[in-house]
Amino acid sequence: MKNRLEELRRGRGLSQEELADALEVSRQTIISLEKGRYNPSILLAFRIARYFGTSIEDVFIYDE
Amino acid sequence: MNRHKRSLLIAGTAMAAFGLVCIAAWAYLMGLVDNGRFDGLAGALCGLGFGLLGGGGATAAMALWRVSPDRERQKEIEQHDERNIQVNRAALSVTAVAAFIVLAVLTFIFVVMGWFAAGILTVAAMYVLIAVYLIAHRRMNKVM
């Protein structure tokens, strides 16, 4: 699933490690998320959206 | 001490204690029986006992090993990281299939070599794996 995670992260001037720390996930998870190799659980997706102060649909792009 | 470390300490101590029991049983058998009838069992008890003692000690030591709070927090995060959990589960699935195939191949080898008892044991082990899978599947179906 495509997402804007990297764009949002860079917009806040955060490193992958800092974002991983803030979300309490491993850095490898952030890397996989940004590359679109891993789809997060709904809980993690909510936490990411809440962290950036936006909605899930603004972070993750659902391709039909 | 957090819950995970406490579990490690308990598990390690239990393993080491059971190892000591096996070693004691080995020593008893070696002292008691002279005709060599229980040599196989004694040998197995010796290996198992010392293995459990060493493994149990190492497990308990892991629980007592002091790490920095940052490293502790990182370990905690990595343990509960959803992607890591999924990766572990996927790897375990592959391992289970591989174990099943290895047992099947071993059964074939044992039968070809004429070791029918060993072949029956490996077939029994395969049935145990199937039973475990069916029970686990049923349980997961109810829980999830």
Side-chain angles (χ1 to χ4, degrees):
Chain A
M1 188 188 282
K2 291 191 188 119
N3 61 72
R4 294 176 52 230
L5 190 61
E6 189 176 352
E7 180 192 324
L8 289 165
R9 176 178 62 80
R10 286 186 192 277
R12 287 227 183 164
L14 292 169
S15 67
Q16 287 173 333
E17 197 165 336
E18 283 165 345
L19 181 59
D21 236 13
L23 294 171
E24 294 187 339
V25 294
S26 67
R27 197 176 136 247
Q28 191 55 47
T29 298
I30 298 297
I31 293 170
S32 295
L33 279 170
E34 288 184 355
K35 289 188 174 169
R37 279 202 317 240
Y38 174 69
N39 292 327
S41 67
I42 189 104
L43 279 174
L44 181 57
F46 263 116
R47 276 174 34 216
I48 292 171
R50 189 166 290 180
Y51 178 79
F52 288 112
T54 183
S55 66
I56 291 184
E57 290 84 357
D58 283 342
V59 182
F60 298 98
I61 301 147
Y62 179 59
D63 252 327
E64 290 198 46
Chain B
M1 188 182 279
N2 68 34
R3 204 176 67 176
H4 173 65
K5 284 201 168 190
R6 206 177 303 128
S7 308
L8 274 179
L9 187 60
I10 292 168
T13 311
M15 276 168 67
F18 189 61
L20 283 172
V21 167
C22 288
I23 292 168
W26 164 67
Y28 178 72
L29 274 178
M30 292 300 284
L32 183 71
V33 184
D34 211 11
N35 60 13
R37 256 179 67 205
F38 293 113
D39 277 357
L41 177 61
L45 282 170
C46 175
L48 186 66
F50 281 105
L52 282 172
L53 187 62
T59 305
M62 271 168 59
L64 299 170
W65 192 264
R66 287 182 185 273
V67 290
S68 68
D70 276 346
R71 183 72 200 118
E72 187 81 42
R73 187 172 171 265
Q74 265 312 116
K75 270 179 68 179
E76 192 83 27
I77 285 172
E78 278 167 27
Q79 216 168 11
H80 294 109
D81 179 66
E82 60 176 57
R83 187 185 157 274
N84 282 349
I85 291 170
Q86 276 197 31
V87 165
N88 283 332
R89 283 185 177 167
L92 278 172
S93 294
V94 171
T95 307
V97 172
F100 201 82
I101 292 170
V102 165
L103 281 173
V105 168
L106 274 176
T107 305
F108 178 73
I109 291 171
F110 287 149
V111 166
V112 162
M113 290 173 76
W115 297 348
F116 295 110
I120 288 168
L121 278 174
T122 48
V123 167
M126 285 165 68
Y127 274 111
V128 167
L129 280 181
I130 292 170
V132 166
Y133 170 77
L134 290 171
I135 292 166
H137 191 278
R138 193 186 162 97
R139 172 124 178 89
M140 294 301 156
N141 224 4
K142 278 189 185 171
V143 164
M144 295 173 89

